[in-house]
Amino acid sequence: MGVFELASKIVKYILIGIVYLFILRVVKMVYLDISDTKRARRVITDGMAYLKLSSRRRSKEYKLYDSYAVRENTTIGRSRKNDICIPDPFLSASHARIYFADGEFYLEDLGSTNGTLYNGKYIGNYTVTLKSGDKVGFGNITFTFIETDDE
């Protein structure tokens, strides 16, 4: 066996390995996309409302879903103790809370460092009533609040 034949076999096996790695990456991306779609459907049906991602001001180094379920009492923050945990460095450990009372949803800031935005304005120490379509901002992320239909 000559040097050329040996080199061609090595190149052949390297190319086959690269193709297999590429196929595995594609399969993994398809799997993750399917599981994210299932998660999004579950979010919409599990909660009384949900937060749908509208925009983010910076690139992210962490996983951020397109939607998050909102239940009767939902806390948002960087800490894993929250119902919605987003490891954005601009979120406080316990940043804000959305809760349901007297037939309405309310948003309150929990003393966060960078504040909570409601339709583009900081809410400070006030509690505001949420309606479908309102924009809610935490850190570098903006969500649209959406109530699910009671059927």
Side-chain angles (χ1 to χ4, degrees), residues 30-137:
V30 168
Y31 170 76
L32 291 174
D33 190 42
I34 289 170
S35 64
D36 277 355
T37 302
K38 286 180 182 176
R39 182 195 168 283
R41 285 186 187 139
R42 196 172 53 249
V43 162
I44 292 170
T45 57
D46 283 355
M48 299 172 68
Y50 63 100
L51 295 174
K52 180 158 180 55
L53 181 65
S54 296
S55 68
R56 55 184 166 259
R57 293 184 207 125
R58 319 174 90 204
S59 63
K60 58 184 175 67
E61 295 84 33
Y62 52 86
K63 178 73 173 166
L64 186 63
Y65 295 109
D66 286 334
S67 57
Y68 294 90
V70 174
R71 294 176 179 82
E72 283 190 53
N73 186 26
T74 303
T75 57
I76 300 122
R78 199 176 61 244
S79 168
R80 291 183 184 262
K81 294 177 183 177
N82 293 292
D83 301 303
I84 298 175
C85 173
I86 303 172
D88 185 325
F90 291 95
L91 261 72
S92 295
S94 293
H95 196 95
R97 178 172 81 118
I98 297 174
Y99 63 94
F100 186 77
D102 301 324
E104 306 244 305
F105 281 96
Y106 297 94
L107 170 68
E108 69 176 335
D109 187 90
L110 298 176
S112 67
T113 303
N114 293 318
T116 299
L117 292 170
Y118 168 75
N119 291 329
K121 297 179 181 164
Y122 287 100
I123 64 172
N125 295 327
Y126 296 101
T127 299
V128 295
T129 305
L130 287 173
K131 294 178 261 354
S132 275
D134 285 342
K135 301 289 184 194
V136 180

